Amino acid sequence: MTGADLPLWAAWLVSVLAVTGAAFSLTGAIGLVRLKTFYERVHAPTLGATLGMALILCGSMLLLSMLEGRLVLRDALIGLFLTVTTPVTLLLLARAAAHRDRHEGNPDAPPKP
Amino acid sequence: MRAALPYPLLSAALALTWLLLNAPPTPGQLVLALLVGLAIPHVMRALRPRSVRLRAPGRLARLGIIVLYDMLRSNIDVARVILGLRRGTRRTGFVAIPLDLREPFGITILAIILTATPGTLWVQYDSDTGRLLMHVLDLTDGDAWVRRVKDRYERPLMEIFA
């Protein structure tokens, strides 16, 4: 099957999944600009790394499965590895910020755990 | 058996990953997947990873469904906060949670869960006191967050990794 033979419902579903996922990722990017403090900002990009990523990958898996005429689950690995590795980056960022804020005695520094 | 398969879960995961990457499976790829699953865990031995013991696999599936639901809901909540659709004043702040969970794999999964739900950020965990410091984007009630993490995630994790 080529792209031109894709049934209309599948084309719509893939488009809706991809655009909704992209919209969540964009919202996360807007959050980086709009939110005020560092700790608030770190929440924003996780939108793209969780639901945004999941929706886009579902769209991609559906499209590839339809085109190749069999179940293609390869993209799920992208989701798995993103999910497992994102916390490492966020944890390092949060730890570094907490250390700096405490060291400089900033008023919004996190309390000791 | 132990000598051939030091980490059975790792072997299975590696073989499955190989097959997913090289789908559709052919007899040749099946043999390669088997080889990858058998050989690589022996290399991992040098790193001496702790072996995982899953006590309640059924609860893991239920926890996965709960986390998927929370992920969906918190994504929508955070998107509303960012786009200014949330009414009323919003407070943001830190919550300290005393954790009873001490198993390293359980704590790792908890970190992944809290990161996968956008409104919560894992800031610091003190392994001596078992206290976790978390930042919450929409902090209406601190105690509710402590209960939510303990009841929804920590208790099932303690049952799964005991």
Side-chain angles (χ1 to χ4, degrees), chain A residues 24 27-28 30-31 34-35 39-40 42-44 46-47 50-51 70 73-74 77 83-84 86-87 90-91 94-95 98 102 108-111 113, chain B residues 17 20-21 23-24 71-72 75-76 78-79 81-84 90 92 94 111-112 115-116 118-124 126 131 133 135-137:
Chain A
F24 269 101
T27 309
I30 294 171
R34 283 198 62 172
L35 297 173
Y39 301 101
E40 280 184 291
V42 182
H43 291 285
T46 43
L47 258 70
T50 55
L51 191 59
R70 62 186 176 81
L73 293 175
R74 203 168 34 208
L77 289 174
T83 307
V84 173
T86 317
L90 290 183
L91 233 140
R95 279 297 289 271
R102 286 184 189 133
D108 59 347
Chain B
T17 308
L20 276 178
L21 282 173
M71 189 267 277
L72 200 70
N75 262 280
I76 293 167
V78 172
V81 167
I82 289 171
L83 298 173
R90 178 173 61 86
T92 169
F94 295 95
I112 292 175
T115 311
T120 52
L121 173 70
W122 180 288
V123 178
Q124 192 172 9
D126 188 340
R131 283 173 80 82
L133 187 68
H135 185 265
V136 180
L137 187 63

Short mmCIF file of all heavy atoms in Angstrom, two decimals, chain A residues 24 27-28 30-31 34-35 39-40 42-44 46-47 50-51 70 73-74 77 83-84 86-87 90-91 94-95 98 102 108-111 113, chain B residues 17 20-21 23-24 71-72 75-76 78-79 81-84 90 92 94 111-112 115-116 118-124 126 131 133 135-137:
data_model
loop_
_atom_site.label_atom_id
_atom_site.label_comp_id
_atom_site.label_asym_id
_atom_site.label_seq_id
_atom_site.Cartn_x
_atom_site.Cartn_y
_atom_site.Cartn_z
N PHE A 24 0.35 19.71 21.87
CA PHE A 24 0.80 19.57 23.27
C PHE A 24 2.28 19.96 23.40
O PHE A 24 2.67 20.63 24.35
CB PHE A 24 0.56 18.15 23.77
CG PHE A 24 -0.77 17.98 24.42
CD1 PHE A 24 -1.83 17.41 23.74
CD2 PHE A 24 -0.99 18.43 25.71
CE1 PHE A 24 -3.08 17.27 24.32
CE2 PHE A 24 -2.23 18.30 26.31
CZ PHE A 24 -3.27 17.72 25.62
N THR A 27 2.47 23.68 23.29
CA THR A 27 2.04 24.26 24.56
C THR A 27 3.18 24.19 25.58
O THR A 27 3.41 25.14 26.33
CB THR A 27 0.82 23.50 25.10
OG1 THR A 27 -0.15 23.42 24.06
CG2 THR A 27 0.22 24.21 26.30
N GLY A 28 3.90 23.08 25.60
CA GLY A 28 5.05 22.95 26.51
C GLY A 28 6.09 24.01 26.22
O GLY A 28 6.65 24.62 27.13
N ILE A 30 5.55 26.92 24.80
CA ILE A 30 5.00 28.22 25.22
C ILE A 30 5.17 28.38 26.73
O ILE A 30 5.50 29.45 27.23
CB ILE A 30 3.51 28.33 24.82
CG1 ILE A 30 3.38 28.37 23.29
CG2 ILE A 30 2.86 29.57 25.42
CD1 ILE A 30 1.96 28.26 22.78
N GLY A 31 4.96 27.27 27.44
CA GLY A 31 5.11 27.30 28.90
C GLY A 31 6.50 27.71 29.33
O GLY A 31 6.67 28.42 30.32
N ARG A 34 6.27 31.40 29.12
CA ARG A 34 5.27 32.10 29.94
C ARG A 34 5.46 31.94 31.44
O ARG A 34 5.17 32.85 32.21
CB ARG A 34 3.86 31.59 29.58
CG ARG A 34 3.37 32.18 28.29
CD ARG A 34 1.88 32.03 28.19
NE ARG A 34 1.18 32.75 29.25
CZ ARG A 34 -0.14 32.90 29.29
NH1 ARG A 34 -0.87 32.38 28.34
NH2 ARG A 34 -0.72 33.54 30.26
N LEU A 35 5.90 30.76 31.89
CA LEU A 35 6.01 30.55 33.33
C LEU A 35 7.20 31.34 33.87
O LEU A 35 8.16 31.62 33.16
CB LEU A 35 6.14 29.06 33.64
CG LEU A 35 4.92 28.24 33.23
CD1 LEU A 35 5.17 26.76 33.41
CD2 LEU A 35 3.70 28.65 34.04
N TYR A 39 11.62 26.45 38.59
CA TYR A 39 10.95 25.19 38.95
C TYR A 39 9.61 25.04 38.24
O TYR A 39 9.18 23.93 37.95
CB TYR A 39 10.76 25.10 40.48
CG TYR A 39 12.08 25.16 41.20
CD1 TYR A 39 12.50 26.33 41.80
CD2 TYR A 39 12.91 24.06 41.25
CE1 TYR A 39 13.72 26.40 42.44
CE2 TYR A 39 14.13 24.12 41.88
CZ TYR A 39 14.53 25.30 42.48
OH TYR A 39 15.75 25.35 43.10
N GLU A 40 8.94 26.16 37.97
CA GLU A 40 7.69 26.08 37.20
C GLU A 40 8.00 25.72 35.75
O GLU A 40 7.30 24.94 35.12
CB GLU A 40 6.97 27.43 37.24
CG GLU A 40 6.17 27.69 38.48
CD GLU A 40 5.43 29.00 38.36
OE1 GLU A 40 6.09 30.06 38.36
OE2 GLU A 40 4.21 28.96 38.26
N VAL A 42 10.38 23.99 34.44
CA VAL A 42 10.80 22.61 34.15
C VAL A 42 9.59 21.72 33.88
O VAL A 42 9.69 20.72 33.16
CB VAL A 42 11.65 22.06 35.31
CG1 VAL A 42 12.14 20.67 35.01
CG2 VAL A 42 12.83 22.97 35.56
N HIS A 43 8.41 22.08 34.44
CA HIS A 43 7.22 21.25 34.20
C HIS A 43 6.80 21.28 32.73
O HIS A 43 6.27 20.31 32.22
CB HIS A 43 6.05 21.76 35.04
CG HIS A 43 6.22 21.55 36.50
ND1 HIS A 43 6.07 20.32 37.08
CD2 HIS A 43 6.53 22.40 37.50
CE1 HIS A 43 6.27 20.44 38.39
NE2 HIS A 43 6.57 21.69 38.66
N ALA A 44 7.02 22.42 32.07
CA ALA A 44 6.42 22.63 30.74
C ALA A 44 6.91 21.65 29.67
O ALA A 44 6.08 21.03 29.00
CB ALA A 44 6.65 24.08 30.31
N THR A 46 7.85 18.72 29.76
CA THR A 46 7.44 17.33 29.91
C THR A 46 6.16 17.04 29.13
O THR A 46 5.86 15.88 28.86
CB THR A 46 7.23 16.95 31.39
OG1 THR A 46 6.53 17.98 32.03
CG2 THR A 46 8.53 16.69 32.07
N LEU A 47 5.40 18.08 28.77
CA LEU A 47 4.22 17.85 27.94
C LEU A 47 4.61 17.21 26.62
O LEU A 47 3.96 16.29 26.14
CB LEU A 47 3.51 19.19 27.66
CG LEU A 47 2.27 19.49 28.48
CD1 LEU A 47 2.63 19.76 29.91
CD2 LEU A 47 1.53 20.67 27.90
N THR A 50 5.82 13.52 27.12
CA THR A 50 4.87 12.49 27.56
C THR A 50 3.70 12.37 26.58
O THR A 50 3.75 11.57 25.64
CB THR A 50 4.36 12.77 28.99
OG1 THR A 50 3.81 14.08 29.05
CG2 THR A 50 5.49 12.66 29.98
N LEU A 51 2.65 13.18 26.75
CA LEU A 51 1.46 13.01 25.91
C LEU A 51 1.74 13.40 24.46
O LEU A 51 1.30 12.71 23.54
CB LEU A 51 0.29 13.82 26.49
CG LEU A 51 -1.06 13.54 25.86
CD1 LEU A 51 -1.45 12.10 26.00
CD2 LEU A 51 -2.14 14.43 26.47
N ARG A 70 0.99 -4.67 8.12
CA ARG A 70 1.19 -5.53 9.29
C ARG A 70 1.40 -4.62 10.49
O ARG A 70 1.59 -3.41 10.34
CB ARG A 70 2.42 -6.44 9.11
CG ARG A 70 3.67 -5.65 8.96
CD ARG A 70 4.88 -6.49 8.65
NE ARG A 70 6.02 -5.62 8.43
CZ ARG A 70 6.74 -5.10 9.41
NH1 ARG A 70 6.46 -5.37 10.66
NH2 ARG A 70 7.75 -4.29 9.15
N LEU A 73 5.40 -2.03 15.51
CA LEU A 73 5.46 -1.51 16.88
C LEU A 73 6.82 -0.89 17.20
O LEU A 73 7.09 -0.54 18.33
CB LEU A 73 5.18 -2.63 17.89
CG LEU A 73 3.75 -3.18 17.86
CD1 LEU A 73 3.62 -4.35 18.80
CD2 LEU A 73 2.76 -2.09 18.25
N ARG A 74 7.65 -0.75 16.14
CA ARG A 74 9.01 -0.26 16.35
C ARG A 74 9.03 1.08 17.10
O ARG A 74 9.86 1.30 17.97
CB ARG A 74 9.65 -0.08 14.98
CG ARG A 74 11.14 -0.10 14.95
CD ARG A 74 11.58 -0.20 13.52
NE ARG A 74 10.65 0.53 12.64
CZ ARG A 74 10.44 0.21 11.38
NH1 ARG A 74 11.05 -0.79 10.84
NH2 ARG A 74 9.59 0.91 10.64
N LEU A 77 9.43 1.69 20.90
CA LEU A 77 10.74 1.71 21.55
C LEU A 77 11.20 3.15 21.80
O LEU A 77 11.83 3.43 22.82
CB LEU A 77 11.77 0.98 20.69
CG LEU A 77 11.63 -0.54 20.62
CD1 LEU A 77 12.61 -1.11 19.62
CD2 LEU A 77 11.86 -1.15 21.98
N THR A 83 10.85 7.75 27.83
CA THR A 83 10.26 7.73 29.16
C THR A 83 11.31 7.39 30.22
O THR A 83 11.30 7.91 31.32
CB THR A 83 9.12 6.71 29.20
OG1 THR A 83 8.22 7.00 28.15
CG2 THR A 83 8.38 6.76 30.51
N VAL A 84 12.22 6.48 29.86
CA VAL A 84 13.22 6.04 30.83
C VAL A 84 14.33 7.08 31.02
O VAL A 84 14.89 7.20 32.10
CB VAL A 84 13.80 4.67 30.40
CG1 VAL A 84 14.95 4.26 31.28
CG2 VAL A 84 12.72 3.61 30.44
N THR A 86 14.17 10.65 30.18
CA THR A 86 13.81 12.03 30.54
C THR A 86 14.01 12.33 32.03
O THR A 86 14.54 13.38 32.37
CB THR A 86 12.35 12.33 30.15
OG1 THR A 86 12.10 11.81 28.87
CG2 THR A 86 12.08 13.81 30.15
N PRO A 87 13.59 11.43 32.95
CA PRO A 87 13.77 11.75 34.37
C PRO A 87 15.22 12.05 34.73
O PRO A 87 15.47 12.87 35.61
CB PRO A 87 13.29 10.48 35.09
CG PRO A 87 12.37 9.84 34.15
CD PRO A 87 12.90 10.15 32.78
N LEU A 90 15.85 15.73 33.87
CA LEU A 90 15.08 16.63 34.72
C LEU A 90 15.61 16.60 36.15
O LEU A 90 15.70 17.63 36.82
CB LEU A 90 13.60 16.25 34.69
CG LEU A 90 12.90 16.55 33.37
CD1 LEU A 90 11.43 16.21 33.46
CD2 LEU A 90 13.06 18.00 33.00
N LEU A 91 15.96 15.41 36.62
CA LEU A 91 16.48 15.28 37.98
C LEU A 91 17.78 16.06 38.14
O LEU A 91 17.97 16.77 39.13
CB LEU A 91 16.74 13.79 38.24
CG LEU A 91 16.11 13.22 39.47
CD1 LEU A 91 15.58 11.84 39.17
CD2 LEU A 91 17.14 13.14 40.55
N ALA A 94 17.00 19.79 38.18
CA ALA A 94 16.37 20.21 39.43
C ALA A 94 17.38 20.20 40.57
O ALA A 94 17.40 21.12 41.39
CB ALA A 94 15.19 19.29 39.75
N ARG A 95 18.23 19.16 40.61
CA ARG A 95 19.23 19.09 41.67
C ARG A 95 20.20 20.26 41.59
O ARG A 95 20.56 20.88 42.59
CB ARG A 95 20.02 17.78 41.58
CG ARG A 95 19.32 16.58 42.19
CD ARG A 95 19.09 16.73 43.66
NE ARG A 95 20.29 16.65 44.48
CZ ARG A 95 20.79 15.53 44.98
NH1 ARG A 95 20.19 14.39 44.75
NH2 ARG A 95 21.85 15.54 45.74
N ALA A 98 18.45 23.45 42.69
CA ALA A 98 18.25 23.46 44.15
C ALA A 98 19.57 23.77 44.85
O ALA A 98 19.62 24.57 45.80
CB ALA A 98 17.69 22.12 44.61
N ARG A 102 20.13 27.18 47.11
CA ARG A 102 20.45 27.07 48.53
C ARG A 102 21.79 27.75 48.82
O ARG A 102 21.95 28.44 49.81
CB ARG A 102 20.52 25.61 48.95
CG ARG A 102 19.16 24.97 49.05
CD ARG A 102 19.30 23.55 49.58
NE ARG A 102 18.02 22.86 49.49
CZ ARG A 102 17.89 21.65 49.01
NH1 ARG A 102 18.94 20.99 48.57
NH2 ARG A 102 16.70 21.08 48.97
N ASP A 108 13.44 31.83 47.10
CA ASP A 108 12.59 30.72 46.62
C ASP A 108 13.35 29.40 46.57
O ASP A 108 12.97 28.49 45.86
CB ASP A 108 11.95 31.06 45.27
CG ASP A 108 12.99 31.35 44.20
OD1 ASP A 108 14.17 31.52 44.57
OD2 ASP A 108 12.64 31.39 43.01
N ALA A 109 14.45 29.31 47.33
CA ALA A 109 15.20 28.05 47.37
C ALA A 109 14.35 26.96 48.01
O ALA A 109 13.58 27.23 48.92
CB ALA A 109 16.48 28.24 48.17
N PRO A 110 14.46 25.72 47.52
CA PRO A 110 13.67 24.64 48.11
C PRO A 110 14.13 24.34 49.53
O PRO A 110 15.31 24.49 49.84
CB PRO A 110 13.95 23.45 47.19
CG PRO A 110 15.18 23.79 46.46
CD PRO A 110 15.27 25.28 46.38
N PRO A 111 13.20 23.94 50.41
CA PRO A 111 13.59 23.56 51.77
C PRO A 111 14.38 22.26 51.74
O PRO A 111 14.35 21.54 50.74
CB PRO A 111 12.25 23.37 52.47
CG PRO A 111 11.28 23.07 51.39
CD PRO A 111 11.76 23.79 50.16
N PRO A 113 14.99 18.46 52.26
CA PRO A 113 14.00 17.38 52.27
C PRO A 113 13.85 16.76 53.66
O PRO A 113 14.79 16.74 54.40
CB PRO A 113 14.54 16.37 51.28
CG PRO A 113 16.00 16.63 51.21
CD PRO A 113 16.18 18.10 51.45
N THR B 17 13.33 -6.49 22.01
CA THR B 17 13.75 -5.24 21.36
C THR B 17 14.34 -5.52 19.99
O THR B 17 14.04 -4.84 19.01
CB THR B 17 14.80 -4.52 22.23
OG1 THR B 17 14.29 -4.40 23.55
CG2 THR B 17 15.12 -3.16 21.69
N LEU B 20 11.58 -6.32 17.59
CA LEU B 20 10.80 -5.14 17.23
C LEU B 20 11.54 -4.29 16.21
O LEU B 20 10.96 -3.74 15.29
CB LEU B 20 10.51 -4.30 18.48
CG LEU B 20 9.30 -4.71 19.32
CD1 LEU B 20 9.18 -3.82 20.54
CD2 LEU B 20 8.03 -4.61 18.49
N LEU B 21 12.86 -4.16 16.40
CA LEU B 21 13.66 -3.34 15.49
C LEU B 21 13.77 -4.00 14.13
O LEU B 21 13.90 -3.31 13.12
CB LEU B 21 15.06 -3.12 16.07
CG LEU B 21 15.17 -2.07 17.17
CD1 LEU B 21 16.56 -2.07 17.77
CD2 LEU B 21 14.85 -0.69 16.61
N ALA B 23 11.57 -6.21 12.66
CA ALA B 23 10.34 -6.84 12.20
C ALA B 23 10.22 -6.68 10.69
O ALA B 23 10.74 -5.71 10.14
CB ALA B 23 9.14 -6.19 12.89
N PRO B 24 9.52 -7.56 9.94
CA PRO B 24 8.88 -8.78 10.45
C PRO B 24 9.91 -9.86 10.75
O PRO B 24 10.92 -9.94 10.06
CB PRO B 24 7.99 -9.19 9.28
CG PRO B 24 8.63 -8.60 8.08
CD PRO B 24 9.32 -7.36 8.51
N MET B 71 -1.29 10.52 33.69
CA MET B 71 -0.46 11.23 32.72
C MET B 71 -1.35 12.08 31.81
O MET B 71 -1.08 13.25 31.59
CB MET B 71 0.33 10.19 31.92
CG MET B 71 1.41 10.74 31.02
SD MET B 71 0.83 11.03 29.37
CE MET B 71 0.97 9.39 28.66
N LEU B 72 -2.42 11.45 31.32
CA LEU B 72 -3.35 12.15 30.44
C LEU B 72 -3.96 13.36 31.15
O LEU B 72 -3.98 14.47 30.63
CB LEU B 72 -4.46 11.16 30.04
CG LEU B 72 -5.26 11.49 28.81
CD1 LEU B 72 -4.39 11.31 27.58
CD2 LEU B 72 -6.47 10.55 28.71
N ASN B 75 -1.41 16.15 31.95
CA ASN B 75 -1.01 16.87 30.74
C ASN B 75 -2.04 17.95 30.42
O ASN B 75 -1.68 19.09 30.10
CB ASN B 75 -0.92 15.91 29.55
CG ASN B 75 0.50 15.47 29.28
OD1 ASN B 75 1.28 16.19 28.69
ND2 ASN B 75 0.85 14.30 29.76
N ILE B 76 -3.33 17.58 30.52
CA ILE B 76 -4.38 18.55 30.22
C ILE B 76 -4.37 19.67 31.26
O ILE B 76 -4.48 20.84 30.92
CB ILE B 76 -5.75 17.83 30.15
CG1 ILE B 76 -5.74 16.89 28.94
CG2 ILE B 76 -6.88 18.82 30.05
CD1 ILE B 76 -6.87 15.89 28.91
N VAL B 78 -1.82 20.80 33.09
CA VAL B 78 -0.67 21.69 32.91
C VAL B 78 -0.86 22.55 31.65
O VAL B 78 -0.53 23.74 31.66
CB VAL B 78 0.65 20.88 32.85
CG1 VAL B 78 1.82 21.77 32.47
CG2 VAL B 78 0.92 20.23 34.18
N ALA B 79 -1.42 21.96 30.58
CA ALA B 79 -1.67 22.75 29.38
C ALA B 79 -2.63 23.89 29.68
O ALA B 79 -2.44 25.02 29.21
CB ALA B 79 -2.25 21.85 28.28
N VAL B 81 -2.98 25.41 32.60
CA VAL B 81 -2.24 26.40 33.39
C VAL B 81 -1.39 27.27 32.45
O VAL B 81 -1.39 28.49 32.55
CB VAL B 81 -1.34 25.70 34.43
CG1 VAL B 81 -0.33 26.68 35.02
CG2 VAL B 81 -2.18 25.09 35.54
N ILE B 82 -0.70 26.62 31.51
CA ILE B 82 0.20 27.36 30.61
C ILE B 82 -0.58 28.33 29.73
O ILE B 82 -0.19 29.47 29.53
CB ILE B 82 1.02 26.38 29.74
CG1 ILE B 82 2.04 25.63 30.60
CG2 ILE B 82 1.74 27.12 28.62
CD1 ILE B 82 2.74 24.51 29.88
N LEU B 83 -1.72 27.85 29.20
CA LEU B 83 -2.49 28.69 28.27
C LEU B 83 -3.39 29.68 29.00
O LEU B 83 -4.14 30.41 28.36
CB LEU B 83 -3.32 27.79 27.35
CG LEU B 83 -2.49 26.86 26.46
CD1 LEU B 83 -3.38 25.89 25.70
CD2 LEU B 83 -1.63 27.67 25.49
N GLY B 84 -3.31 29.71 30.34
CA GLY B 84 -4.09 30.68 31.10
C GLY B 84 -5.57 30.37 31.14
O GLY B 84 -6.39 31.26 31.30
N ARG B 90 -3.40 30.48 41.50
CA ARG B 90 -2.65 29.23 41.50
C ARG B 90 -1.45 29.38 42.41
O ARG B 90 -0.74 30.37 42.34
CB ARG B 90 -2.19 28.91 40.07
CG ARG B 90 -1.37 27.66 39.95
CD ARG B 90 -1.10 27.36 38.50
NE ARG B 90 -0.35 28.45 37.86
CZ ARG B 90 0.97 28.53 37.89
NH1 ARG B 90 1.67 27.61 38.51
NH2 ARG B 90 1.59 29.52 37.30
N THR B 92 2.13 27.61 43.74
CA THR B 92 3.08 26.60 43.33
C THR B 92 4.10 26.46 44.45
O THR B 92 4.35 27.42 45.16
CB THR B 92 3.74 27.00 42.00
OG1 THR B 92 4.84 26.13 41.76
CG2 THR B 92 4.24 28.42 41.99
N PHE B 94 6.80 23.55 47.07
CA PHE B 94 7.46 22.28 47.33
C PHE B 94 6.66 21.45 48.32
O PHE B 94 6.02 22.00 49.22
CB PHE B 94 8.87 22.53 47.88
CG PHE B 94 9.77 23.20 46.90
CD1 PHE B 94 9.93 24.58 46.91
CD2 PHE B 94 10.45 22.46 45.95
CE1 PHE B 94 10.75 25.20 46.00
CE2 PHE B 94 11.28 23.07 45.03
CZ PHE B 94 11.43 24.45 45.06
N ALA B 111 10.27 7.67 40.37
CA ALA B 111 10.83 8.88 39.74
C ALA B 111 10.31 9.01 38.31
O ALA B 111 9.97 10.10 37.86
CB ALA B 111 12.35 8.83 39.75
N ILE B 112 10.24 7.87 37.60
CA ILE B 112 9.74 7.91 36.22
C ILE B 112 8.26 8.32 36.20
O ILE B 112 7.84 9.14 35.39
CB ILE B 112 9.95 6.55 35.52
CG1 ILE B 112 11.45 6.30 35.33
CG2 ILE B 112 9.23 6.49 34.19
CD1 ILE B 112 11.78 4.94 34.78
N THR B 115 7.85 12.00 36.91
CA THR B 115 8.28 12.82 35.78
C THR B 115 7.28 12.72 34.64
O THR B 115 7.04 13.70 33.94
CB THR B 115 9.66 12.34 35.27
OG1 THR B 115 10.52 12.22 36.39
CG2 THR B 115 10.26 13.33 34.31
N ALA B 116 6.68 11.54 34.47
CA ALA B 116 5.75 11.35 33.36
C ALA B 116 4.42 12.08 33.60
O ALA B 116 3.66 12.27 32.66
CB ALA B 116 5.48 9.86 33.14
N PRO B 118 3.17 15.57 34.21
CA PRO B 118 3.82 16.87 34.11
C PRO B 118 3.68 17.82 35.31
O PRO B 118 4.57 18.60 35.52
CB PRO B 118 3.19 17.49 32.87
CG PRO B 118 2.87 16.32 32.03
CD PRO B 118 2.43 15.27 32.98
N GLY B 119 2.62 17.77 36.08
CA GLY B 119 2.49 18.74 37.17
C GLY B 119 3.46 18.54 38.33
O GLY B 119 3.54 19.38 39.22
N THR B 120 4.17 17.41 38.35
CA THR B 120 5.03 17.12 39.49
C THR B 120 6.48 16.98 39.03
O THR B 120 6.75 16.45 37.97
CB THR B 120 4.61 15.79 40.15
OG1 THR B 120 4.55 14.78 39.14
CG2 THR B 120 3.26 15.91 40.82
N LEU B 121 7.39 17.48 39.87
CA LEU B 121 8.82 17.43 39.54
C LEU B 121 9.58 16.88 40.73
O LEU B 121 9.48 17.38 41.84
CB LEU B 121 9.32 18.83 39.20
CG LEU B 121 10.83 18.97 38.99
CD1 LEU B 121 11.26 18.28 37.72
CD2 LEU B 121 11.23 20.43 38.94
N TRP B 122 10.33 15.82 40.48
CA TRP B 122 11.16 15.18 41.50
C TRP B 122 12.38 16.08 41.72
O TRP B 122 13.18 16.27 40.80
CB TRP B 122 11.58 13.81 40.98
CG TRP B 122 12.43 12.97 41.83
CD1 TRP B 122 13.75 13.16 42.11
CD2 TRP B 122 12.07 11.75 42.48
NE1 TRP B 122 14.22 12.15 42.89
CE2 TRP B 122 13.21 11.27 43.13
CE3 TRP B 122 10.87 11.03 42.56
CZ2 TRP B 122 13.21 10.09 43.86
CZ3 TRP B 122 10.87 9.86 43.29
CH2 TRP B 122 12.02 9.40 43.93
N VAL B 123 12.56 16.66 42.90
CA VAL B 123 13.69 17.57 43.11
C VAL B 123 14.84 16.84 43.80
O VAL B 123 15.98 16.89 43.36
CB VAL B 123 13.27 18.81 43.93
CG1 VAL B 123 14.47 19.71 44.19
CG2 VAL B 123 12.19 19.58 43.20
N GLN B 124 14.54 16.18 44.92
CA GLN B 124 15.63 15.58 45.68
C GLN B 124 15.10 14.44 46.53
O GLN B 124 14.01 14.52 47.09
CB GLN B 124 16.25 16.65 46.58
CG GLN B 124 17.55 16.21 47.19
CD GLN B 124 18.23 17.34 47.93
OE1 GLN B 124 17.65 18.41 48.12
NE2 GLN B 124 19.45 17.11 48.33
N ASP B 126 16.41 11.95 49.72
CA ASP B 126 17.45 11.70 50.71
C ASP B 126 17.35 10.25 51.14
O ASP B 126 16.38 9.85 51.78
CB ASP B 126 17.24 12.65 51.90
CG ASP B 126 18.41 12.56 52.88
OD1 ASP B 126 19.13 11.56 52.83
OD2 ASP B 126 18.58 13.49 53.68
N ARG B 131 13.21 10.75 52.70
CA ARG B 131 12.28 11.85 52.38
C ARG B 131 12.51 12.34 50.96
O ARG B 131 13.64 12.52 50.52
CB ARG B 131 12.45 13.00 53.37
CG ARG B 131 11.79 12.70 54.71
CD ARG B 131 12.11 13.78 55.70
NE ARG B 131 11.28 14.96 55.51
CZ ARG B 131 10.05 15.08 55.98
NH1 ARG B 131 9.49 14.08 56.62
NH2 ARG B 131 9.37 16.18 55.81
N LEU B 133 11.67 15.31 48.15
CA LEU B 133 11.22 16.68 47.96
C LEU B 133 10.74 16.82 46.53
O LEU B 133 11.44 16.48 45.59
CB LEU B 133 12.37 17.66 48.23
CG LEU B 133 11.97 19.12 48.23
CD1 LEU B 133 11.09 19.44 49.42
CD2 LEU B 133 13.21 20.01 48.25
N HIS B 135 8.42 19.24 43.60
CA HIS B 135 7.84 20.54 43.28
C HIS B 135 6.53 20.31 42.54
O HIS B 135 6.46 19.48 41.64
CB HIS B 135 8.79 21.35 42.39
CG HIS B 135 8.30 22.74 42.12
ND1 HIS B 135 7.59 23.06 40.99
CD2 HIS B 135 8.37 23.87 42.86
CE1 HIS B 135 7.28 24.35 41.04
NE2 HIS B 135 7.74 24.86 42.16
N VAL B 136 5.49 21.03 42.97
CA VAL B 136 4.17 20.85 42.36
C VAL B 136 3.73 22.17 41.73
O VAL B 136 3.83 23.22 42.36
CB VAL B 136 3.14 20.38 43.41
CG1 VAL B 136 1.78 20.21 42.77
CG2 VAL B 136 3.58 19.08 44.03
N LEU B 137 3.30 22.08 40.47
CA LEU B 137 2.93 23.29 39.72
C LEU B 137 1.63 23.89 40.23
O LEU B 137 1.49 25.10 40.32
CB LEU B 137 2.81 22.94 38.23
CG LEU B 137 2.61 24.09 37.27
CD1 LEU B 137 3.81 25.02 37.30
CD2 LEU B 137 2.40 23.59 35.86
#
